[in-house]
Amino acid sequence: MTNPVPPHGRHRAPLPPVQPSVSEPAAGMPAPRVPYSSVSTAAATSPRPAGRHTAYPPQSGQSGGPAPASAAAAKPAKQRDAFFDNAKYLAIVLVAMAHAWEPLTDHSRTAEALYMTVYTFHMPAFILISGYFSRSFDMRPDRLKRLVTGVAVPYVLFEVAYTFFKRWADDDPTQPISLLDPWYLTWFLIALFVWRLTTPLWKIVRWPVPLALAVAVLAVVSPDIGDDLDLQRVLQFMPFFVLGLFIKPEHFQLVRRREVRLLSLPIFACAVVLAYWAAPRMTSVWFYRRDSAQELGVPWWVGVVMTLALFGCSVLLTACFFAWVPRRRMWFTVLGAGTLYGYLLHGFLAKGSRFWGWFEEYEWLHQPVGQVVVTVVAGAVVTVLCTPPVQRAFRFAMEPKMEWAFRRDAAALARERAASR
């Protein structure tokens, strides 16, 4: 890299209220099945068939006990909210594109500016949605099981898979398998695991977001934290997860107002211009949030300023991003259920392109036409990796059932007996 070290229209109906049982949209927890609006023209869709959604396994009953089979059959099926699936898909496409731009930033200031702009908000947007869908997480056994099977187990499997891939593709047989040192993209899984376990704590403190931001500031000035579990990233990205825990549906509707959508355009333009100016003057490593200020060779107070400034910029650009996410069902809405698949699987190609020297071998990729090709290919690849066939093929690793590994609690046995009657 150059440095060293998402059409406005009529006002739409407000978002439906969130169901009591919600969780993260991309990694093994049940999300709210909210019906698409059949009244608002902008949100009208044809209902999708009920069934198992890849990223959110179905909720296994209510706390009041199982309903009779006839009542369950008569109950209308609830659907996913298209807005959040659209947001997740668009965010993961930006993640893949930014990874593809990284090798181009050495020769293109424009690529570096776009890279820094997208890095300001693409993971914060994804993490904020993760927090929004984790609001009802508690230590209930079924939710803990989903946390293990949907987050912890994929972390272990992909950490091992990435290690063997690096050994082969990078001709590095000494690359160790270390579950304490996440490699490349697996940091998000271990971070999500930690964030979700801390959810009950954030619900009881008085000022959760300022507290989380204070923790992030303390982390950036603490070089002794080290690399275990990538705790710098866990702590520095945590304010976005905590912010998502306390966002309400009306907040998403607020950014959908016409004036906000119009205002977001010049804000994005200013962000790109600012990034173009800053590209040769600052290191983009700040956007990774994986190092302390001292490790980046700057005074501690610079880390404090950068953490607060980046948080404000990230929240602003994330709001602008959400302002342009479609509310209605689109052709890519169904892909929102497979974003974690696309996230983890595209990493093999992203890293492989570097290991195999594609960007050095094909110089035309650094030309404007080549940069457009790289961008389109990255978006197309991650789109394919989010499709249902790919989800079915890799469900064994991303959403293993693992019933053999857990005790069967009394509530689960009661539901099974009621269903068999």
Side-chain angles (χ1 to χ4, degrees):
M1 295 192 302
T2 303
N3 300 293
V5 189
H8 64 270
R10 301 176 63 86
H11 187 67
R12 293 183 173 119
L15 288 170
V18 178
Q19 300 300 317
S21 177
V22 292
S23 181
E24 199 276 325
M29 287 294 293
R33 307 302 206 276
V34 184
Y36 294 119
S37 172
S38 59
V39 179
S40 172
T41 302
T45 61
S46 58
R48 290 162 57 187
R52 184 174 186 270
H53 291 270
T54 300
Y56 332 130
Q59 186 74 5
S60 56
Q62 302 298 324
S63 58
S70 59
K75 187 177 180 179
K78 294 181 179 180
Q79 304 295 326
R80 299 165 64 101
D81 192 327
F83 173 81
F84 294 107
D85 278 337
N86 292 339
K88 288 187 297 170
Y89 167 77
L90 295 174
I92 207 63
V93 167
L94 290 173
V95 169
M97 288 179 174
H99 287 158
W101 293 339
E102 184 177 356
L104 305 175
T105 57
D106 287 335
H107 303 85
S108 173
R109 187 174 176 180
T110 300
E112 176 78 1
L114 292 175
Y115 180 81
M116 295 173 68
T117 303
V118 170
Y119 253 86
T120 305
F121 72 92
H122 70 350
M123 283 309 297
F126 209 83
I127 295 169
L128 188 146
I129 295 175
S130 300
Y132 180 77
F133 282 94
S134 295
R135 295 183 301 167
S136 67
F137 180 83
D138 51 27
M139 297 301 175
R140 209 172 71 182
D142 59 329
R143 289 173 178 162
L144 287 174
K145 291 177 184 178
R146 293 189 186 101
L147 182 60
V148 171
T149 59
V151 179
V153 171
Y155 169 72
V156 173
L157 294 179
F158 274 87
E159 184 65 28
V160 173
Y162 274 141
T163 300
F164 281 105
F165 176 75
K166 189 177 189 301
R167 289 180 180 180
W168 167 70
D170 197 29
D171 193 21
D172 182 14
T174 62
Q175 175 71 19
I177 297 176
S178 176
L179 299 183
L180 292 178
D181 188 11
W183 189 74
Y184 198 34
L185 302 180
T186 56
W187 73 267
F188 176 73
L189 292 176
I190 198 65
L192 182 59
F193 188 88
V194 174
W195 294 334
R196 189 166 285 154
L197 285 178
T198 64
T199 296
L201 173 64
W202 298 113
K203 291 179 179 178
I204 64 174
V205 299
R206 180 166 294 181
W207 302 291
V209 176
L211 178 59
L213 194 55
V215 171
V217 168
L218 290 175
V220 81
V221 298
S222 303
D224 294 334
I225 288 180
D227 296 327
D228 289 351
L229 300 182
D230 226 344
L231 279 179
Q232 278 288 356
R233 271 179 166 164
V234 173
L235 298 177
Q236 291 191 43
F237 274 115
M238 189 163 59
F240 302 104
F241 181 84
V242 177
L243 179 61
L245 289 174
F246 295 92
I247 282 184
K248 299 179 180 180
E250 50 264 34
H251 294 143
F252 289 103
Q253 182 57 43
L254 181 63
V255 300
R256 295 287 305 172
R257 296 173 60 179
R258 185 173 183 269
E259 52 269 33
V260 176
R261 301 181 73 186
L262 292 176
L263 185 60
S264 66
L265 296 177
I267 291 177
F268 263 124
C270 291
V272 174
V273 172
L274 179 60
Y276 189 87
W277 172 86
R281 295 174 172 84
M282 67 173 287
T283 172
S284 56
V285 176
W286 284 107
F287 298 92
Y288 305 155
R289 293 173 172 88
R290 68 186 181 194
D291 300 291
S292 67
Q294 293 87 337
E295 290 171 315
L296 293 178
V298 297
W300 66 268
W301 61 268
V302 175
V304 176
V305 173
M306 289 298 296
T307 299
L308 298 176
L310 282 177
F311 179 77
C313 293
S314 297
V315 171
L316 179 62
L317 292 185
T318 297
C320 294
F321 167 71
F322 285 140
W324 285 94
V325 172
R327 278 282 319 278
R328 64 188 183 277
R329 189 178 182 187
M330 311 291 288
W331 64 267
F332 53 78
T333 302
V334 66
L335 304 179
T339 50
L340 192 62
Y341 290 79
Y343 174 77
L344 290 173
L345 292 174
H346 94 276
F348 293 101
L349 183 59
K351 276 297 183 181
S353 66
R354 304 300 302 273
F355 294 154
W356 300 320
W358 292 352
F359 288 90
E360 291 75 21
E361 181 178 356
Y362 304 104
E363 291 292 336
W364 65 273
L365 293 177
H366 295 273
Q367 302 302 317
V369 174
Q371 295 173 6
V372 173
V373 170
V374 168
T375 303
V376 172
V377 170
V381 167
V382 78
T383 296
V384 171
L385 295 177
C386 293
T387 57
V390 175
Q391 296 175 40
R392 289 192 293 268
F394 288 92
R395 187 167 290 151
F396 74 95
M398 301 295 298
E399 299 176 79
K401 294 184 179 180
M402 297 182 61
E403 297 294 341
W404 53 269
F406 302 101
R407 295 180 179 179
R408 304 175 71 185
D409 56 67
L413 290 174
R415 288 193 293 268
E416 291 181 4
R417 293 193 187 102
S420 62
R421 292 174 183 171

